[in-house]
Amino acid sequence: MPDRPAHPYHPTAVIVGAPEVGEDTWVGPFVLLDGSGGLVIGSGCDISAGAQIYSHTTVRRCVSGRRYEDVDRAATFIGDRTHVGAGAVVLMGVRIGSECVVGAGAVVTHDVPDRTCVVGVPARVVGRIDPDTGLIS
């Protein structure tokens, strides 16, 4: 396996580019953080095992038989104190607010407002977060 640059997260996490990750954010095993198009993750977040957060896509390049030569990139943003569940995928250009919950296995294709819980494929809103109790209603 090729050497990867050192980072302060789980040793199996893969970090691409130079994402900005806030203080006291935990990044679990087998996580992929793609900062190649710009990635900001706030403070106090938990990024659970196997989550993938992207800031690029090669779809147009691939399906065009490489006639479209570019790799599309767009910055992705996750606010403070947000939990990204195990195996969740956040696609490029998405903005997830602060104090959110992204359920395990969710695929986030659109922006998520502050204090919102999303689950499913594609991710959909199933509740709001009470910041005082942390409960979902």
Side-chain angles (χ1 to χ4, degrees):
M1 182 181 330
D3 290 334
R4 291 188 214 128
H7 57 73
Y9 311 112
H10 193 280
T12 61
V14 175
I15 313 297
V16 177
E20 296 176 36
V21 180
E23 186 175 321
D24 198 32
T25 286
W26 178 79
V27 175
F30 307 108
V31 165
L32 169 64
L33 299 181
D34 165 27
S36 67
L39 173 59
V40 175
I41 299 174
S43 299
C45 296
D46 286 342
I47 312 299
S48 298
Q52 302 169 47
I53 304 173
Y54 291 98
S55 63
H56 86 281
T57 182
T58 61
V59 171
R60 288 174 57 189
R61 185 181 73 167
C62 182
V63 300
S64 71
R66 304 290 197 257
R67 288 181 301 278
Y68 182 82
E69 297 177 0
D70 296 331
V71 172
D72 292 320
R73 299 180 194 281
T76 303
F77 176 86
I78 298 175
D80 296 330
R81 297 170 307 283
T82 288
H83 176 87
V84 177
V89 177
V90 178
L91 297 182
M92 79 166 195
V94 168
R95 293 186 61 84
I96 298 175
S98 293
E99 299 169 340
C100 291
V101 173
V102 175
V107 177
V108 184
T109 61
H110 293 89
D111 293 354
V112 176
D114 290 347
R115 298 187 184 113
T116 301
C117 178
V118 296
V119 300
V121 180
R124 65 194 179 289
V125 174
V126 295
R128 300 280 299 153
I129 310 297
D130 180 329
D132 294 325
T133 65
L135 296 175
I136 301 167
S137 58

